[in-house]
Amino acid sequence: MMYVNEYDRDGSAAAMGFYAVKRFDETIQSLGGVSTPSTMDEDIHKHIDRHVNLYNHKFSVDVKSAKATNRGGVITIDHVWVEFQNVQGNKGWLYGEEDFLAFETKKNKFVLVGRRLLAEFCEKSVDLTDRVSSADAALYKAYKRDGRNDIISRIPLNDIKTINHTMLIKKEN
């Protein structure tokens, strides 16, 4: 069952996430691992999409699809959105219980980075006191969308790659 947030007006964000998770599962399987779904409660409250067993390591992952800077815009892999506070005003996925974040960079290619390391990086790099009113201006700044309680920011994917990370690339048969 696919969770659709009440703020996802047309379900498109949920669909993008669903297909990114499907590609993540295929990537893990191609590498000889197992990726199993989380419970709905884990997904919503702990920010865990998958439990993974790969190379004799077990860990939880929140999978992030590539997104556009602006809703309905062109999908980009150059920047990623990070969530300090979610749309309900609760802690964002940077402070969830997932071990890792998997950012989709290209079809069947993911950057896997530790959640705690990413949160520490974002806390140092993003100026949460500098509030902006547009997605275009949200690079390293706090952005709150109208009618929502979220606090999000954009950061370059290349900056995430400066943090200790792993590239997961689907093996072709």
Side-chain angles (χ1 to χ4, degrees):
M1 184 171 167
M2 181 173 68
Y3 170 71
V4 180
N5 188 293
E6 64 183 292
Y7 293 96
D8 187 2
R9 296 181 300 263
D10 60 2
S12 61
M16 285 175 55
F18 174 83
Y19 289 110
V21 169
K22 184 176 178 180
R23 289 187 293 273
F24 178 81
D25 289 345
E26 292 168 357
T27 300
I28 294 297
Q29 186 177 20
S30 79
L31 298 171
V34 177
S35 177
T36 57
S38 64
T39 65
M40 185 72 78
D41 182 67
E42 288 175 316
D43 185 12
I44 295 169
H45 300 291
K46 296 181 179 182
H47 304 285
I48 297 171
D49 289 322
R50 289 292 186 265
H51 294 280
V52 175
N53 188 340
L54 180 63
Y55 307 131
N56 294 317
H57 295 284
K58 293 182 181 181
F59 52 92
S60 59
V61 179
D62 190 4
V63 179
K64 300 298 176 191
S65 65
K67 294 180 176 61
T69 299
N70 293 291
R71 189 168 186 83
V74 177
I75 303 295
T76 179
I77 60 169
D78 296 331
H79 293 89
V80 298
W81 286 101
V82 293
E83 182 185 73
F84 291 89
Q85 186 171 296
N86 70 17
V87 292
Q88 288 86 15
N90 299 319
K91 66 181 180 179
W93 52 255
L94 275 176
Y95 305 108
E97 295 182 31
E98 71 278 27
D99 297 315
F100 292 93
L101 282 300
F103 293 97
E104 185 174 37
T105 61
K106 294 181 181 174
K107 187 175 181 182
N108 299 314
K109 186 174 182 180
F110 296 85
V111 174
L112 190 70
V113 64
R115 185 208 43 86
R116 286 190 176 110
L117 290 175
L118 180 61
E120 289 171 10
F121 173 84
C122 290
E123 288 166 357
K124 291 176 188 170
S125 303
V126 175
D127 184 355
L128 293 176
T129 64
D130 191 354
R131 303 283 174 114
V132 296
S133 59
S134 75
D136 290 324
L139 188 65
Y140 293 115
K141 297 179 181 174
Y143 174 51
K144 184 178 182 301
R145 296 176 284 185
D146 287 338
R148 300 181 187 200
N149 293 314
D150 58 353
I151 298 174
I152 58 178
S153 184
R154 273 188 317 117
I155 59 174
L157 180 65
N158 282 337
D159 283 2
I160 290 176
K161 290 179 180 178
T162 67
I163 304 168
N164 191 14
H165 70 282
T166 299
M167 296 297 298
L168 299 175
I169 303 169
K170 182 179 178 183
K171 286 186 179 176
E172 298 302 325
N173 294 337

